[in-house]
Amino acid sequence: MTVLPLPPAMAAESVNLTDEQLCLRVREGDPSAFAWLWLRHRRSTYHCAAQYTRGCASDTEDAVADAMLAMLQALRSGGGPDRNVAAYLHVSVRRAAARRSKQRDREEPVPEVCDKPVYDEDTMSAAFEWSMAAEAIDSLPDPWQSALRLSLVEELPASQIAGRLGISPASASSLLYRAKEALRAAFLRRHALATSPRCAAMLDRMVHAMRGRATNRYGPIIHRHLAQCTGCVGNYQYLQQVNKSLPSRHAA
């Protein structure tokens, strides 16, 4: 995909604009504002598209191009996103990837078409979420992984997990609770990409705050960062959406 040009005259002025302000400028006919949106969100959009295109680089490029073009057309017609550009693009790129996959399945000559799985949007979305969950589990310490697999895969109660791990039932219940919450936090964290080490550390704090850990401590720090870093605003809003789909911290 060709990178959109960034007019030098806009660089100093637009770098601190919020996504909402840039979207408004695109609606008013400013093409350089869309270039800034592209620069801010291209990495996360590529990452999202790659999850849905089964490793096909050309399909990933096409899905991102389709999503970006659709957003540009929507903005120019007075629609499109306001603040949550990242979430808007993730939904758009998922749909674009689904269309590309269906088109490829129709075009590829195969002897037994009926045996070929149909990758509709819901299936691809589920596959993406499962891949995020698998990565999250792999990132946890071994004791937590063992407890989760015994609970989620073998569907054992805490009393039997205790016997398998050689610990007391109370310890097993506590371990399982902490493992599940760590999994939810790790799963949530994998839905956002940072552009710098500072932003990566701030995304970690956002996840902790959203999951009810050190909310009072991190809240002011997060809001100060968001006031200065427009690139993290979209990630923050998208993480809030994903977090709403997860059980609360007090869930078993």
Side-chain angles (χ1 to χ4, degrees):
M1 181 190 298
T2 302
V3 177
L4 297 174
L6 185 62
M10 286 297 299
E13 179 184 357
S14 297
V15 66
N16 292 321
L17 293 180
T18 65
D19 283 355
E20 184 177 14
Q21 291 171 321
L22 289 173
C23 287
L24 179 60
R25 289 200 174 196
V26 176
R27 292 188 183 97
E28 293 173 345
D30 184 355
S32 63
F34 188 78
W36 271 106
L37 289 173
W38 157 250
L39 289 174
R40 283 181 187 173
H41 297 286
R42 60 179 178 178
R43 288 188 62 189
S44 63
T45 305
Y46 268 109
H47 177 78
C48 181
Q51 308 301 318
Y52 292 103
T53 52
R54 292 174 277 172
C56 179
S58 62
D59 281 357
T60 299
E61 292 274 354
D62 290 341
V64 173
D66 288 350
M68 287 289 184
L69 178 59
M71 186 175 74
L72 176 59
Q73 292 172 337
L75 288 170
R76 284 178 172 174
S77 64
D82 288 317
R83 297 183 180 88
N84 204 345
V85 173
Y88 184 95
L89 283 172
H90 287 182
V91 172
S92 296
V93 83
R94 184 195 315 167
R95 292 173 179 169
R99 290 194 299 270
R100 291 283 174 180
S101 179
K102 289 179 180 179
Q103 181 181 5
R104 183 177 294 278
D105 286 345
R106 287 196 302 268
E107 292 176 350
E108 288 181 355
V110 289
E112 298 180 30
V113 176
C114 293
D115 290 338
K116 193 161 187 172
V118 178
Y119 292 90
D120 58 18
E121 183 177 343
D122 291 338
T123 301
M124 296 174 75
S125 176
F128 173 62
E129 297 302 318
W130 274 110
S131 70
M132 293 288 103
E135 290 180 10
I137 289 178
D138 289 341
S139 72
L140 300 178
D142 289 341
W144 286 353
Q145 289 191 37
S146 299
L148 288 170
R149 290 193 170 106
L150 290 173
S151 174
L152 303 178
V153 179
E154 299 188 32
E155 299 182 344
L156 299 180
S159 58
Q160 294 185 33
I161 293 176
R164 294 280 290 271
L165 298 180
I167 57 179
S168 69
S171 296
S173 295
S174 176
L175 176 65
L176 188 57
Y177 172 83
R178 288 183 283 114
K180 285 183 177 179
E181 181 51 35
L183 174 61
R184 292 162 190 155
F187 175 79
L188 181 61
R189 178 62 182 85
R190 271 158 178 74
H191 280 75
L193 293 177
T195 57
S196 70
R198 180 169 177 261
C199 290
M202 195 57 57
L203 287 174
D204 291 339
R205 291 173 176 174
M206 290 177 191
V207 169
H208 289 320
M210 289 178 189
R211 297 309 302 168
R213 296 173 55 192
T215 303
N216 293 334
R217 174 186 173 189
Y218 288 144
I221 300 174
I222 292 170
H223 286 95
R224 283 198 300 270
H225 178 79
L226 293 177
Q228 301 171 354
C229 180
T230 54
C232 281
V233 173
N235 275 332
Y236 181 70
Q237 294 170 336
Y238 182 56
L239 287 177
Q240 284 182 312
Q241 285 192 344
V242 176
N243 188 50
K244 289 178 181 178
S245 68
L246 300 177
S248 68
R249 179 171 172 78
H250 300 291

